[in-house]
RNA sequence: UCCUGAGUAGCUCAGCCGGUUAGAGCAUCUGACUGUUAAUCAGAGGGUCGCUGGUUCGAGCCCAGCCUCAGGAGCCA
């Protein structure tokens, strides 16, 4: 294809009266002469002006919403208001027609629910263009931040054999004819004959393997897809999602929290700097959307203000025990407004409690630490009180838990004892325990839910709208 | 999985107490206009009322089951 200039560059061009070539998709065609063309490089369209009186009528009819075009013309200062520059077309070529009777996108507002059904085309809308450019920046910024700190990007396996991680239901991976799997004499499915010679599933977390890497490379992170076969039908769960899992040797919980907070702030500031226009658009979109909500449900801050606020304030850090005290004394608890009332120490925090702490009490991101060991995973480091573990959850407004992490139990005996208590088969995790046998050391790590981060930064309300092709119960289209 | 609500034209939605031929805006098509900004104006076409069964003289509307979607809860990131 002949050289073209991307629309983002043209709109920023200081030079005019030069010949340019653009390619993109038609958003609207107004007045038989004005094409709003978009190529995804920016949320803004470039206006193409067609000399319709001297253009073949058959060609004009093919300039329809969704069609892809190649346009050659002069980049000139715009005669009309609403844009600085426009292109006076000298040559318009239809690269791909788009039948207007069948093309589902119209130059109007569509519901997010409808766009979810045409996820293959929703990239062509302003909202989803902005979301996926922001998502890209956030992913890049995660790598940039960690790479600059000397972290090693470690590719942990997607297929795993251990089912002992306790992070939810896993999807089975098998080569068997599922209608007729080989069976043992006692009638059980004989996984010895399966592809891997044992039962395998898609990973629910790269953490345990990540720890193995950290115990040699010092600081590692994973950033890949993760799978949970939970029947979750919510705005913040997916069956396939992306997770960032740093694991650091010689880190305690404080270091862990500092890293997580630093990472979150860095990637948010990176997006604010590099995706200003997209975030302004999304901020406006959110404000429009909230107009239809009752006053008390609207957010106090605009999206941009909320992101900036998040950068300007340190996250509130407190222990689970302190949080319980606050919740016990809180108005909704006393007035029995909570669905689950806080009676005392030991209860798991429900969404309503987390939301109260983050959105009502502190009004900023909160890091809760030192949870009761009963409600946390086996690998978390036990505190001397015998009751709590060195866990930390970062709670964000509107999202809930965005990060879950801990200092890891590095003492072999303590770890084995906890595994026994929780019924985790030690023989399956012999390799994990080996790191505690040979040169064990204090270490820590966390998991950051990437889509939840994108949700927060874009101000979207449903996690299915911040991943290109969401996988959730009863849906694996596209 | 549980609770609540929804499913009517391509999209967003209205449809009275069960009663004749199911409506509107936008989109599409035809024509007009031609510096528009989701262009405007005039006209036209477009429906298995989610699916299955039931009640009734008669069902978009009532009943039962199922499917899908949305919001909330749980599981968690």
């Amino acid at each position: 294809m002949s050289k073209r200039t991307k629309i983002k560059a043209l709109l920023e061009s200081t030079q005019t009266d030069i010949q340019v070539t653009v390619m993109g998709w038609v958003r609207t065609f107004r007045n038989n002469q004005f094409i709003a063309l978009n190529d995804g490089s920016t949320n803004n369209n470039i206006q193409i002006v067609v000399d319709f009186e001297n253009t073949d009528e058959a060609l004009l009819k093919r300039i329809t919403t969704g069609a892809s075009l190649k346009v050659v013309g002069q980049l000139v200062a715009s005669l009309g208001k609403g844009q600085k520059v426009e292109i006076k077309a000298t040559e318009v070529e239809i690269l791909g027609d788009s039948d207007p009777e069948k093309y589902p996108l119209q130059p109007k507002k569509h519901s997010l629910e409808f766009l979810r059904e045409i996820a293959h085309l929703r990239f062509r809308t302003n909202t989803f263009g902005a979301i996926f450019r922001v998502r890209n920046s956030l992913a890049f910024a995660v790598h940039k931040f960690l790479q600059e700190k000397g972290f090693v990007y470690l590719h942990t396996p997607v297929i795993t054999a251990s089912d002992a991680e306790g992070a939810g239901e896993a999807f089975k991976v098998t080569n068997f004819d599922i209608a007729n799997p080989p069976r043992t004499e006692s009638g059980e499915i004989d996984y010895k004959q399966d592809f891997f010679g044992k039962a395998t599933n898609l990973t629910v977390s790269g953490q345990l393997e990540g720890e193995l890497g950290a115990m040699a490379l010092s600081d590692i992170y994973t950033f890949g897809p993760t799978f949970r076969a939970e029947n979750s039908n919510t705005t913040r769960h997916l069956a396939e999602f992306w997770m960032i899992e740093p694991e650091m040797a010689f880190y305690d919980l404080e270091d862990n929290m500092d890293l997580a907070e630093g990472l979150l702030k860095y990637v948010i500031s990176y997006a604010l700097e590099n995706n200003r226009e997209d975030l302004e658009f999304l901020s406006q979109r959110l404000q429009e959307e909230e107009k239809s909500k009752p006053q008390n449900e609207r957010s106090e801050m605009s999206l941009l203000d909320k992101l900036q606020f998040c950068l300007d304030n340190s996250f509130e850090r407190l222990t689970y025990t302190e949080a319980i005290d606050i919740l016990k004394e809180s108005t909704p608890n006393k007035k029995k407004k909570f669905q689950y009332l806080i009676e005392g120490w030991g209860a798991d925090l429900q969404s309503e409690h987390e939301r109260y702490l983050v959105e009502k009490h502190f009004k900023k991101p909160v890091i809760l630490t030192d949870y009761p060991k009963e409600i946390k995973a086996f690998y978390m480091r036990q505190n001397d009180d015998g009751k709590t573990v060195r866990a930390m959850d970062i709670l964000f407004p509107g999202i809930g838990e965005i990060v879950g992490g801990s200092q890891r139990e590095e003492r072999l005996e303590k770890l084995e004892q906890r595994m026994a208590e929780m019924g985790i088969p030690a023989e399956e995790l012999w390799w994990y325990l080996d790191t505690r046998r040979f040169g064990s050391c204090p270490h820590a790590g966390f998991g950051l839910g990437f889509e939840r981060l994108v949700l927060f930064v874009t101000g979207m309300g449903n996690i299915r709208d911040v991943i290109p092709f969401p996988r959730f119960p009863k849906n694996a289209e596209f």
Side-chain angles (χ1 to χ4, degrees):
Chain A
M1 300 227 69
S2 56
K3 278 187 197 125
R4 61 139 172 171
T5 312
K6 287 208 176 170
I7 288 167
K8 183 178 165 65
L10 289 175
L11 293 174
E12 288 167 358
S13 171
T14 48
Q15 264 187 306
T16 50
D17 302 316
I18 46 171
Q19 181 176 293
V20 295
T21 302
V22 273
M23 299 183 200
W25 293 268
V26 176
R27 285 293 176 80
T28 65
F29 184 34
R30 286 185 296 269
N31 219 355
N32 216 20
Q33 55 179 325
F34 301 104
I35 305 168
L37 198 72
N38 188 283
D39 66 1
S41 61
T42 160
N43 228 22
N44 299 310
N45 305 323
I46 194 149
Q47 174 157 290
I48 312 290
V49 185
V50 182
D51 179 9
F52 69 96
E53 279 164 326
N54 297 303
T55 303
D56 179 21
E57 212 165 300
L59 179 80
L60 289 173
K61 287 216 161 181
R62 292 172 62 200
I63 303 173
T64 58
T65 303
S68 75
L69 305 183
K70 172 185 175 183
V71 176
V72 181
Q74 290 285 118
L75 185 70
V76 297
S78 178
L79 295 177
K81 286 171 189 167
Q83 60 277 318
K84 281 184 189 149
V85 292
E86 63 192 17
I87 295 172
K88 273 188 112 60
T90 51
E91 187 191 323
V92 175
E93 185 189 337
I94 313 282
L95 298 175
D97 287 284
S98 174
D99 183 347
E101 301 244 31
K102 291 178 184 152
Y103 188 61
L105 290 172
Q106 304 156 12
K108 67 168 237 179
K109 198 171 154 47
H110 286 291
S111 68
L112 295 172
E113 292 83 0
F114 171 65
L115 293 171
R116 226 167 274 153
E117 289 169 17
I118 50 165
H120 59 307
L121 296 174
R122 64 181 180 170
F123 297 112
R124 300 186 184 191
T125 64
N126 287 331
T127 300
F128 285 92
I131 291 167
F132 290 115
R133 279 187 298 271
V134 170
R135 182 183 166 112
N136 167 66
S137 281
L138 290 169
F140 180 75
V142 164
H143 284 295
K144 194 163 184 287
F145 177 83
L146 292 169
Q147 289 291 329
E148 283 172 5
K149 287 193 177 307
F151 279 61
V152 173
Y153 178 27
L154 191 73
H155 296 98
T156 50
V158 168
I159 298 172
T160 60
S162 68
D163 194 18
E165 293 162 47
E169 281 295 304
F171 287 101
K172 292 180 173 58
V173 174
T174 180
N175 230 17
F176 283 155
D177 170 7
I178 54 168
N180 189 25
R183 292 183 184 274
T184 61
E185 281 174 16
S186 56
E188 285 165 346
I189 294 174
D190 185 9
Y191 285 105
K192 284 200 178 115
Q193 294 186 49
D194 203 353
F195 188 88
F196 295 105
K198 54 166 74 170
T200 50
N201 42 258
L202 293 178
T203 181
V204 293
S205 161
Q207 180 199 318
L208 299 190
E209 290 90 349
E211 281 188 49
L212 311 182
M215 298 302 276
L217 300 163
S218 283
D219 302 322
I220 67 95
Y221 67 105
T222 75
F223 189 171
T226 307
F227 309 88
R228 304 273 166 94
E230 302 287 348
N231 192 6
S232 296
N233 291 287
T234 79
T235 52
R236 12 173 238 296
H237 290 86
L238 290 165
E240 176 183 283
F241 63 99
W242 289 65
M243 188 155 62
I244 297 127
E245 294 179 291
E247 284 293 330
M248 298 75 63
F250 316 114
Y251 263 54
D252 63 16
L253 194 68
E254 294 298 316
D255 303 325
N256 203 20
M257 288 190 279
D258 291 344
L259 182 77
E261 183 169 344
L263 171 62
L264 287 166
K265 285 180 170 172
Y266 178 82
V267 299
I268 291 168
S269 71
Y270 186 89
L272 276 172
E273 263 174 54
N274 293 275
N275 298 74
R276 195 76 204 179
E277 281 185 349
D278 288 327
L279 290 174
E280 274 168 7
F281 174 83
L282 290 166
S283 190
Q284 238 169 358
R285 191 206 71 86
L286 190 61
Q287 255 173 327
E288 283 296 314
E289 195 185 73
E290 291 200 333
K291 276 185 189 167
S292 60
K293 285 187 184 171
Q295 199 94 43
N296 60 342
E297 281 176 36
R298 295 181 201 172
S299 40
E300 293 168 28
M301 277 184 257
S302 75
L303 175 62
L304 286 171
D305 292 341
K306 193 179 73 174
L307 295 176
Q308 192 58 49
F309 179 85
C310 187
L311 298 183
D312 295 341
N313 293 279
S314 53
F315 298 179
E316 189 70 33
R317 298 183 185 188
L318 69 160
T319 65
Y320 164 91
T321 307
E322 289 164 336
I324 286 287
D325 287 342
I326 291 170
L327 288 167
K328 238 188 327 199
E329 297 304 313
S330 69
T331 321
N333 200 53
K334 287 184 166 169
K335 291 195 172 170
K336 307 201 181 213
K337 287 275 169 65
F338 281 144
Q339 201 187 331
Y340 298 88
L341 293 175
I342 296 288
E343 310 270 338
W345 199 88
D348 206 350
L349 299 182
Q350 307 291 321
S351 308
E352 57 180 348
H353 306 135
E354 297 181 348
R355 271 210 310 277
Y356 175 82
L357 288 171
V358 173
E359 290 159 26
K360 294 275 172 348
H361 190 82
F362 291 113
K363 299 192 177 200
K364 60 171 166 169
V366 168
I367 311 183
L368 288 182
T369 63
D370 301 286
Y371 283 75
K373 63 180 179 186
E374 285 77 17
I375 58 174
K376 288 290 178 185
F378 72 92
Y379 48 72
M380 297 190 178
R381 193 177 198 280
Q382 297 169 57
N383 280 316
D384 294 339
D385 61 12
K387 290 173 12 189
T388 59
V389 289
R390 297 245 76 190
M392 65 118 175
D393 283 1
I394 303 187
L395 310 177
F396 263 38
I399 312 285
E401 187 178 343
I402 195 167
V403 164
S406 69
Q407 187 173 331
R408 313 309 189 191
E409 181 57 81
E410 83 280 14
R411 299 161 296 184
L412 181 63
E413 269 177 39
K414 293 263 184 192
L415 185 56
E416 283 178 329
Q417 159 226 324
R418 195 75 195 116
M419 286 171 77
E421 282 169 12
M422 295 176 76
I424 310 237
E427 56 289 356
E428 270 187 41
L429 293 179
W430 61 274
W431 42 271
Y432 184 70
L433 292 169
D434 258 8
T435 53
R436 274 68 172 174
R437 287 192 183 101
F438 310 117
S440 189
C441 72
H443 64 291
F446 61 86
L448 164 61
F450 186 57
E451 281 75 20
R452 290 192 181 172
L453 171 66
V454 182
L455 206 50
F456 179 74
V457 176
T458 58
M460 297 299 290
N462 191 320
I463 202 163
R464 296 169 185 180
D465 293 331
V466 300
I467 187 167
F469 301 105
R471 267 71 179 110
F472 52 94
K474 300 280 182 289
N475 197 303
E477 193 67 55
F478 309 108

